[in-house]
Amino acid sequence: MQIKQILAEAAVGSEITVKGWVRTKRESKNVTFININDGSVIHNIQAVAEAGVLNEETQKLITTGACVAITGTLIESQGSGQKVELQVKSALVYGTADPEKYPLQPKKHSLEFLREIGHLRPRTNTFSAILRVRHTLAYAIHKYFNDNGFFYLHTPIITGSDAEGAGEMFRVTTLDPKNPPLNEDGSVNYKEDFFGRETNLTVSGQLEGELGAMALSKIYTFGPTFRAENSNTARHLAEFWMIEPEVAFYELEDNMALAEDFTKYVIRYALENCYDDLVFLEGRLKEEEKNKKQEERSELALIEKLKFVIDNEYVKLTYTEAIQILLSSKRHKEGKFQYPVAWGIDLQSEHERYLVEKHFKKPVILTNYPKDIKAFYMKLDEVSDDVPGQTVRAMDVLFPGIGEIIGGSQREDNYEKLAQRCQEVGIPIESIWWYLETRQFGTAPHAGFGIGFERLVMFVTGMTNIRDVIPFPRTPKTAEF
Amino acid sequence: MQIKQILAEAAVGSEITVKGWVRTKRESKNVTFININDGSVIHNIQAVAEAGVLNEETQKLITTGACVAITGTLIESQGSGQKVELQVKSALVYGTADPEKYPLQPKKHSLEFLREIGHLRPRTNTFSAILRVRHTLAYAIHKYFNDNGFFYLHTPIITGSDAEGAGEMFRVTTLDPKNPPLNEDGSVNYKEDFFGRETNLTVSGQLEGELGAMALSKIYTFGPTFRAENSNTARHLAEFWMIEPEVAFYELEDNMALAEDFTKYVIRYALENCYDDLVFLEGRLKEEEKNKKQEERSELALIEKLKFVIDNEYVKLTYTEAIQILLSSKRHKEGKFQYPVAWGIDLQSEHERYLVEKHFKKPVILTNYPKDIKAFYMKLDEVSDDVPGQTVRAMDVLFPGIGEIIGGSQREDNYEKLAQRCQEVGIPIESIWWYLETRQFGTAPHAGFGIGFERLVMFVTGMTNIRDVIPFPRTPKTAEF
C-alpha cells in the first residue's frame, strides 16, 4: 500500500507494510522516529520504533536515503504532523545510503546544486512535488481534449521540412560525421542519408496537425519539440514539450475561447488534484522570495494566483489597441521602456509584462498582429482604415510572471493568398506541396494554437527556472543523464 | 454540432448545421443525396436536398472532397442506413475539390497508394477509424496509469548515452555537416557540438525511467523512440512511440501481472469506446483476407480476437519450458522450423508464433531467458540445476498475429552484479555513473517493461503494415510530410 493510500484510507489498528526511502531518522533513548516517503504524495509517514524492536545492525543501516520496508501497526499519532503513524514491528533494509557519500542529506540544497544531481533530485520534496504536478497537468490536458471530442495526433519528430521557420533546427543523420558523401559540386549528398534527404528535429507539429484537422475536425498534438538556439536563459530549453490543438471550422474568436477554457480547466484540475503539492510549492516560493526586494516579490501567493486566473475573464484586445495603451502610458512618456514603442514592433517582454502585470493585472489575449512579425500561415485580416498596416488573425496569450504562454492563429485557408505568402517569405511551394493541397481540396476555415508545456508547469508550480520543471533538461553544452 | 453528437443526441425536428467533407453525392431528378463526414465518427450523415432548394452553382460545387456547411431540419430517415437524415434548407461551400484532380474519389484505393498521399488519407474511412482507435488507446493508457497511481515522466529524447544498446542510433548535431571541427588526432571534436558531446536520439527511456521510479515509486513514459536500422519491413519504423512503466518494489511476478492487467484494460477500453470503428475495421480485414488462402486468414474475426484476449488468462512459462515444448513439437521433429531450436537461441518469429498461435492459442508471457540474449540491466536468476545456463528475470509478452508486443524484466538492483554486467558487455561504468548510483543509494527491487504503441494499434485495428497505424511513418528513404 502506498503512503498516499495509507494516509487517505488505511484503518487505525491495521497491520501494514510501508516501502519507501528514509527522509530523516531521529533517535532518543527509548524510541526512534523514522520518516519515510515513497513519492506517492508530499507527506511522509512517521514510523516509531520502541527501543529494542529493531536489531542494532538494522537500526544503524536506516539512514537518510536508505530504502526500507517497515511493517507495523497503524496508530493514531501521538505528536503533531500526520493523524496516523506506524508502530514498528519489523524492518527490512533494501538498500543503504552511506551518509558520507549520499548527497541528499536533510539540509537545504540550492536548485543549482540539485540540477547537477538530476538523477537524485526527484527524491526531494520540491522536485517530487513538481513532477506530480507535471503529471497531473499532462493528464488534465489529455482529459480535456478527450472529453471535448479532440483526437490525439502523433505528428512526426523527424521532419524533412523547415517550413515554419520557428527557429534553428537540429540535424538528424546517420552519415559519416567526418567524411560525409559529397555531390560533384562538393555539397553533402543527403540522398545517401538515412531518409534520402536532409532531416531535422521538428520545431512544431502544426503543419501536420492541420492535415489531421482537415479530416478529423478536432485534433491535438502533445510531443517534444526542439530549438537549436544558443539561449542559456531561465526560459529556454533545447528540448521541450508542446501541445497544439487544431480545429476545423474554428475562427479566431473560437480559438480564443478554446485557449481560455483550456487553460482554466487544466489549472483548476491541478488545484483540485495536487492541492497539497501546491501548498508545499507555495511555501517554497515564499521562502525563496524572502531574499528578494519587496517590489520583486509576487503580489499574490501561488494558490491565490492560480485561483485568480480561473476566476477572471481574460482581457482580449488587439495589438493595435495594446500599442495605444503603451504609447499612452506614463512609463512610455517618461522614457522608461528599454525598447521603443511603435506600431509594427515585436512586443518585448517589458511591454507584455506592463500590459499584463501593471495595466490589466489579468491574463491578456492580444490579437491581430502586424503580418510582418508573424508566421506565413496566419490568415490575413481585412484591411481597415483604423489600423496602420496589414494584420493577421494571430493571438498570443500572456500570463503574469511568465509572459507568452500560448501563440496561435486562424490559418490562411485561401490557396492563392497562402501561396503568395510562401513566396513573400521565401518558402519554395514544392517543399510543402502537401500542406498547400489542403487549401485546394476541401479547404475550410480553421484555427489552432501552441502552448509550451514547461511554461505552463512553471506558472502552476511557481518555479522560475525552466530547467527545474522538466526531469532532465537539455540546454547548450548540457545533455547529462 | 459534430456528426457524432447529432447521431447520438440531436432531436428530430430541430434545425442544425452540419460542417464536414462530402463523401458522395447522388443526384436524381427530384432529389440530391449528399453524404457528409466530419471525422468525429465513422458514420456519415445524409443530407437530402429537394430539387430547387440549392442553386445550380452550389449544387455543382458539391462534389466528393468538397468542404460544406449544410443547414436543415433533422428528420427520421426514409431509407435504410442511419436513423436520421438532414432535410436541406441551405448550403455553403467552404472549399471545392476538383473531381479531375482530387485523388480520393469514391472507389477502392490500395493501402500502398494511400501511403503516397499521407496528407489526405486521414479523410478515408479506414484511416480515420485507425486514428480514432489510436487516440482512444493512447487515452486509455494515460487513464490506466493515472488511475493506478503512476506518474507520467518525460524522459529525454536527445541523449548523451548509448547504454542500452537496443539498436542503431540517429546522431543529433549542429556541427557543419561538411567540415566538422576536428581534434588533433583527426577525430570529430564533439566538444564544439551543441551539447558539448556526441548526442543521439533515444532508443528507450528506461534508464531515466528507473531514476524516476527510485523516487516516485510508480512512473511511466509515453514518447517517441528511434531506431536507425535499415529494416524495410511491415513491422519496423525508424520513429515510433513507446510506453514504459517502471515500478519500485515490483518483482518479475508483479511485472507480469501489470502487463496482463494493462493490456486487457486498454483493449477493453477500445472495445467500449470505439466499437463502431472496430466493426468497420473488422469488415475491412475480412475483405482484405478474401484474397488470401484459407490457411492464411485469421481464425477469429477482429472483435472476437480482442474479446478472446480480454477473457483469457495469459499463459506464463519460462523460456526453458518453451524450448522443451518446441523440441517436443511435431514441427521440430519433422524439421519444419527454418531456424534450429536449442537452449540458448534467441527465439525466432516462427517459434513464437508456433507457441502462441498453434500450441497455446492464447497470449503468452515467456520468462527467465538466457542472460546472453538479454540486456545488461536484467536481474540475474539464482542458478538452478534444472536450467542449462544462467538466466535473467526477463519477460516477453507474445500476442497472436504480431508476436512480441512487450519486453521487460525485473532490474538488477545489486551494484556489484550490475557493474560486473556492464564490464562483461563493454559499457564503461563512468558513462552511466548516474544509473549505477541508484544501486548505491537506497537501491530497491524494481521492474518494468516497454510496449511498442504501434504494435498495439496494429493488434487492435487488425492492420498488418505498421506504416498504416501511425499518421506519418518514418522509414528508410522516406520522411515525407
Side-chain angles (χ1 to χ4, degrees):
Chain A
M1 205 185 249
Q2 291 198 281
I3 293 173
K4 184 176 182 177
Q5 279 174 287
I6 292 169
L7 297 180
E9 42 188 79
V12 167
S14 61
E15 180 166 314
I16 54 171
T17 298
V18 175
K19 296 175 181 179
W21 290 268
V22 175
R23 284 293 171 83
T24 57
K25 181 177 74 169
R26 192 158 49 83
E27 286 168 304
S28 70
K29 204 174 146 193
N30 299 319
V31 68
T32 302
F33 299 97
I34 306 160
N35 269 300
I36 307 162
N37 188 284
D38 66 4
S40 65
V41 65
I42 189 80
H43 308 295
N44 302 326
I45 192 161
Q46 180 166 270
V48 185
E50 305 284 336
V53 168
L54 302 178
N55 67 50
E56 211 177 313
E57 171 70 357
T58 302
Q59 178 106 0
K60 230 174 89 184
L61 294 179
I62 295 177
T63 60
T64 294
C67 187
V68 297
I70 297 189
T71 301
T73 309
L74 198 68
I75 58 169
E76 280 184 44
S77 185
Q78 311 301 305
S80 55
Q82 297 302 328
K83 268 184 287 185
V84 291
E85 60 187 33
L86 193 65
Q87 195 171 42
V88 179
K89 289 189 174 167
S90 65
L92 169 72
V93 178
Y94 285 123
T96 58
D98 183 347
E100 300 293 313
K101 293 183 187 157
Y102 186 59
L104 285 176
Q105 295 305 317
K107 57 162 194 157
K108 216 173 154 42
H109 301 283
S110 74
L111 294 173
E112 290 74 18
F113 170 72
L114 292 173
R115 266 171 234 147
E116 288 167 22
I117 53 165
H119 60 313
L120 299 174
R121 70 178 183 174
R123 300 186 189 186
T124 63
N125 281 333
T126 297
F127 284 92
S128 65
I130 293 166
L131 290 174
R132 282 188 297 269
V133 173
R134 186 178 164 106
H135 159 78
T136 304
L137 286 168
Y139 186 68
I141 289 164
H142 286 297
K143 184 165 166 52
Y144 178 85
F145 286 123
N146 181 72
D147 292 354
N148 287 284
F150 289 71
F151 301 105
Y152 184 22
L153 189 78
H154 288 109
T155 49
I157 310 302
I158 298 173
T159 173
S161 72
D162 177 19
E164 214 210 346
E168 290 296 309
M169 298 174 100
F170 289 102
R171 200 164 64 257
V172 174
T173 180
T174 56
L175 290 180
D176 184 329
K178 215 180 118 187
N179 298 305
L182 301 179
N183 293 312
E184 282 187 10
D185 67 359
S187 61
V188 174
N189 180 5
Y190 286 109
K191 288 223 173 78
E192 291 197 21
D193 208 346
F194 188 91
F195 295 106
R197 58 163 73 193
E198 189 178 347
T199 49
N200 296 288
L201 290 178
T202 184
V203 292
S204 161
Q206 181 201 313
L207 302 192
E208 292 89 354
E210 288 187 47
L211 306 180
M214 288 296 102
L216 301 170
S217 288
K218 299 168 97 172
I219 66 93
Y220 71 106
T221 73
F222 189 164
T225 43
F226 305 86
R227 297 281 186 285
E229 268 147 38
N230 213 343
S231 312
N232 245 319
T233 81
R235 286 165 49 86
H236 293 90
L237 290 170
E239 171 182 314
F240 57 100
W241 287 67
M242 188 145 72
I243 299 105
E244 297 180 282
E246 189 75 33
V247 192
F249 314 115
Y250 265 29
E251 306 201 358
L252 182 61
E253 294 68 25
D254 309 299
N255 207 26
M256 285 195 272
L258 177 67
E260 180 164 356
D261 189 55
F262 166 74
T263 44
K264 285 180 171 174
Y265 175 88
V266 298
I267 293 170
R268 186 182 301 114
Y269 192 92
L271 269 172
E272 285 169 2
N273 290 276
C274 290
Y275 193 78
D276 291 358
D277 286 318
L278 293 173
V279 168
F280 174 83
L281 290 167
E282 172 171 297
R284 191 210 67 82
L285 183 61
K286 259 186 206 148
E287 199 61 38
E288 182 182 274
E289 292 192 339
K290 275 191 185 155
N291 302 321
K292 290 189 177 174
K293 290 182 213 155
Q294 183 66 42
E295 65 268 26
E296 287 173 7
R297 294 182 198 164
S298 310
E299 279 187 42
L300 299 176
L302 182 63
I303 290 173
E304 276 180 316
K305 182 188 75 174
L306 301 179
K307 287 187 175 160
F308 183 79
V309 167
I310 295 171
D311 292 339
N312 281 280
E313 213 173 304
Y314 297 1
V315 177
K316 286 135 197 136
L317 72 162
T318 66
Y319 168 91
T320 303
E321 290 164 340
I323 290 289
Q324 281 156 0
I325 290 171
L326 291 170
L327 289 173
S328 315
S329 71
K330 208 171 135 195
R331 194 173 292 190
H332 171 70
K333 288 176 180 161
E334 292 177 353
K336 287 194 177 151
F337 282 126
Q338 197 188 335
Y339 294 89
V341 177
W343 198 96
I345 63 159
D346 206 353
L347 294 180
Q348 299 296 319
S349 176
E350 58 172 346
H351 306 136
E352 294 178 347
R353 295 191 69 155
Y354 176 82
L355 291 167
V356 174
E357 291 162 29
K358 298 292 162 195
H359 188 81
F360 290 114
K361 301 190 179 227
K362 278 188 203 176
V364 168
I365 309 186
L366 286 186
T367 62
N368 308 88
Y369 283 77
K371 79 165 183 177
D372 291 340
I373 58 170
K374 287 293 181 184
F376 76 97
Y377 49 70
M378 297 190 177
K379 188 173 176 68
L380 290 171
D381 277 309
E382 301 287 318
V383 176
S384 153
D385 287 345
D386 303 335
V387 177
Q390 173 73 66
T391 55
V392 289
R393 295 179 71 67
M395 66 169 207
D396 280 3
V397 181
L398 312 177
F399 264 31
I402 50 165
E404 185 197 324
I405 191 167
I406 285 180
S409 75
Q410 186 171 343
R411 316 308 186 186
E412 184 55 77
D413 51 48
N414 178 287
Y415 175 77
E416 281 75 25
K417 288 185 189 172
L418 186 59
Q420 168 74 25
R421 286 290 287 146
C422 283
Q423 210 173 357
E424 282 173 30
V425 302
I427 296 172
I429 281 181
E430 60 278 13
S431 74
I432 49 167
W433 62 274
W434 45 271
Y435 181 67
L436 291 166
E437 274 200 4
T438 57
R439 275 64 172 176
Q440 293 177 299
F441 301 131
T443 190
H446 60 291
F449 61 80
I451 175 165
F453 185 54
E454 281 74 21
R455 295 265 171 95
L456 176 67
V457 181
M458 285 173 82
F459 183 75
V460 174
T461 58
M463 301 303 293
T464 51
N465 191 314
I466 199 166
R467 295 162 204 222
D468 295 332
V469 298
I470 190 167
F472 306 101
R474 296 294 180 247
T475 54
K477 303 295 171 203
T478 311
E480 191 66 88
F481 313 114
Chain B
M1 205 184 248
Q2 292 199 278
I3 293 173
K4 184 176 183 178
Q5 279 175 285
I6 293 170
L7 297 180
E9 41 187 82
V12 167
S14 60
E15 180 167 314
I16 54 170
T17 298
V18 175
K19 297 175 181 180
W21 290 268
V22 175
R23 284 294 172 82
T24 57
K25 181 177 74 169
R26 191 157 49 84
E27 287 168 304
S28 72
K29 204 173 147 194
N30 300 319
V31 68
T32 302
F33 298 98
I34 306 160
N35 270 299
I36 307 162
N37 189 283
D38 65 3
S40 65
V41 64
I42 188 80
H43 309 294
N44 302 327
I45 193 160
Q46 179 166 272
V48 184
E50 304 285 338
V53 168
L54 302 179
N55 68 49
E56 211 176 312
E57 171 70 358
T58 303
Q59 177 105 1
K60 231 174 89 183
L61 294 178
I62 295 177
T63 60
T64 294
C67 187
V68 297
I70 297 189
T71 302
T73 311
L74 200 67
I75 59 170
E76 279 185 44
S77 185
Q78 311 302 305
S80 54
Q82 298 302 328
K83 269 184 287 185
V84 291
E85 61 188 32
L86 193 65
Q87 195 170 42
V88 179
K89 289 188 173 167
S90 65
L92 170 73
V93 178
Y94 286 123
T96 57
D98 183 348
E100 300 292 314
K101 292 182 186 161
Y102 186 58
L104 285 175
Q105 296 304 319
K107 58 164 196 155
K108 214 170 156 46
H109 302 283
S110 73
L111 295 172
E112 290 75 17
F113 170 70
L114 293 173
R115 266 171 234 147
E116 288 167 23
I117 51 165
H119 60 313
L120 299 174
R121 70 177 184 175
R123 300 185 188 185
T124 62
N125 281 335
T126 297
F127 284 92
S128 66
I130 293 167
L131 290 175
R132 283 188 297 269
V133 173
R134 187 178 164 106
H135 159 77
T136 304
L137 286 168
Y139 186 68
I141 288 164
H142 286 297
K143 185 164 165 55
Y144 177 85
F145 286 124
N146 181 72
D147 292 354
N148 287 284
F150 289 70
F151 301 106
Y152 184 22
L153 190 78
H154 288 110
T155 50
I157 310 301
I158 298 172
T159 173
S161 72
D162 176 19
E164 214 210 345
E168 290 297 309
M169 298 175 101
F170 289 102
R171 200 165 64 256
V172 174
T173 181
T174 56
L175 291 180
D176 184 330
K178 214 180 120 185
N179 297 304
L182 300 179
N183 294 311
E184 283 188 10
D185 67 358
S187 61
V188 173
N189 181 4
Y190 286 109
K191 287 220 173 78
E192 291 197 21
D193 209 346
F194 189 91
F195 295 106
R197 59 162 73 193
E198 189 178 348
T199 50
N200 296 288
L201 290 178
T202 183
V203 294
S204 160
Q206 181 201 313
L207 301 193
E208 291 90 353
E210 288 187 46
L211 305 180
M214 288 297 102
L216 301 170
S217 288
K218 299 168 97 173
I219 66 94
Y220 71 105
T221 72
F222 189 165
T225 44
F226 305 86
R227 296 282 186 285
E229 269 148 38
N230 213 342
S231 312
N232 246 319
T233 81
R235 286 166 48 86
H236 292 90
L237 290 170
E239 171 182 314
F240 57 100
W241 288 68
M242 188 145 72
I243 299 105
E244 297 180 281
E246 189 74 34
V247 193
F249 315 114
Y250 266 30
E251 306 201 358
L252 182 60
E253 294 67 26
D254 308 299
N255 207 26
M256 286 195 272
L258 177 67
E260 180 164 356
D261 189 54
F262 166 74
T263 43
K264 286 180 170 174
Y265 176 88
V266 299
I267 293 169
R268 186 182 301 115
Y269 192 92
L271 268 171
E272 285 169 2
N273 290 277
C274 290
Y275 193 78
D276 291 357
D277 285 319
L278 293 172
V279 168
F280 173 84
L281 290 167
E282 173 170 296
R284 190 210 68 82
L285 184 61
K286 259 186 206 149
E287 199 61 37
E288 182 183 275
E289 291 193 338
K290 274 189 186 157
N291 302 321
K292 290 188 177 175
K293 289 182 214 155
Q294 183 66 44
E295 66 267 26
E296 287 172 7
R297 294 183 198 163
S298 309
E299 280 186 43
L300 300 176
L302 182 63
I303 291 173
E304 275 180 316
K305 182 187 76 174
L306 301 179
K307 287 188 174 158
F308 183 80
V309 167
I310 295 171
D311 292 339
N312 283 281
E313 214 173 304
Y314 298 180
V315 177
K316 286 136 197 136
L317 72 162
T318 66
Y319 168 91
T320 302
E321 289 164 340
I323 290 289
Q324 282 157 359
I325 290 171
L326 291 170
L327 288 173
S328 314
S329 71
K330 208 172 136 195
R331 194 173 292 192
H332 171 71
K333 287 177 180 161
E334 291 176 354
K336 287 194 178 152
F337 283 125
Q338 197 189 336
Y339 293 89
V341 177
W343 198 97
I345 63 158
D346 207 352
L347 293 180
Q348 299 294 319
S349 177
E350 58 173 345
H351 306 136
E352 295 178 347
R353 296 191 69 155
Y354 176 83
L355 292 167
V356 174
E357 291 162 28
K358 298 291 161 194
H359 189 82
F360 290 113
K361 299 189 180 228
K362 279 189 204 176
V364 169
I365 309 185
L366 286 186
T367 62
N368 308 86
Y369 283 77
K371 77 165 183 177
D372 292 339
I373 59 170
K374 288 292 181 184
F376 75 97
Y377 48 70
M378 296 190 178
K379 188 174 176 67
L380 290 171
D381 276 310
E382 301 285 318
V383 176
S384 152
D385 287 346
D386 303 333
V387 177
Q390 173 73 66
T391 55
V392 290
R393 293 179 72 67
M395 65 169 206
D396 280 2
V397 181
L398 312 177
F399 264 31
I402 51 165
E404 186 195 324
I405 192 167
I406 285 180
S409 75
Q410 186 172 343
R411 316 308 186 186
E412 183 55 76
D413 51 50
N414 177 287
Y415 175 78
E416 281 74 26
K417 287 185 189 172
L418 186 59
Q420 168 73 24
R421 285 291 286 146
C422 284
Q423 210 172 0
E424 283 174 28
V425 301
I427 295 172
I429 281 181
E430 60 278 14
S431 73
I432 49 167
W433 62 274
W434 44 271
Y435 181 68
L436 291 165
E437 274 200 5
T438 58
R439 275 64 172 177
Q440 293 176 299
F441 300 132
T443 190
H446 61 291
F449 61 80
I451 175 165
F453 185 53
E454 282 73 21
R455 295 265 171 96
L456 176 68
V457 181
M458 285 173 81
F459 183 75
V460 174
T461 59
M463 300 303 292
T464 50
N465 190 314
I466 199 165
R467 295 162 205 221
D468 295 331
V469 299
I470 190 167
F472 307 100
R474 296 295 180 246
T475 54
K477 302 297 170 201
T478 310
E480 191 65 89
F481 314 113

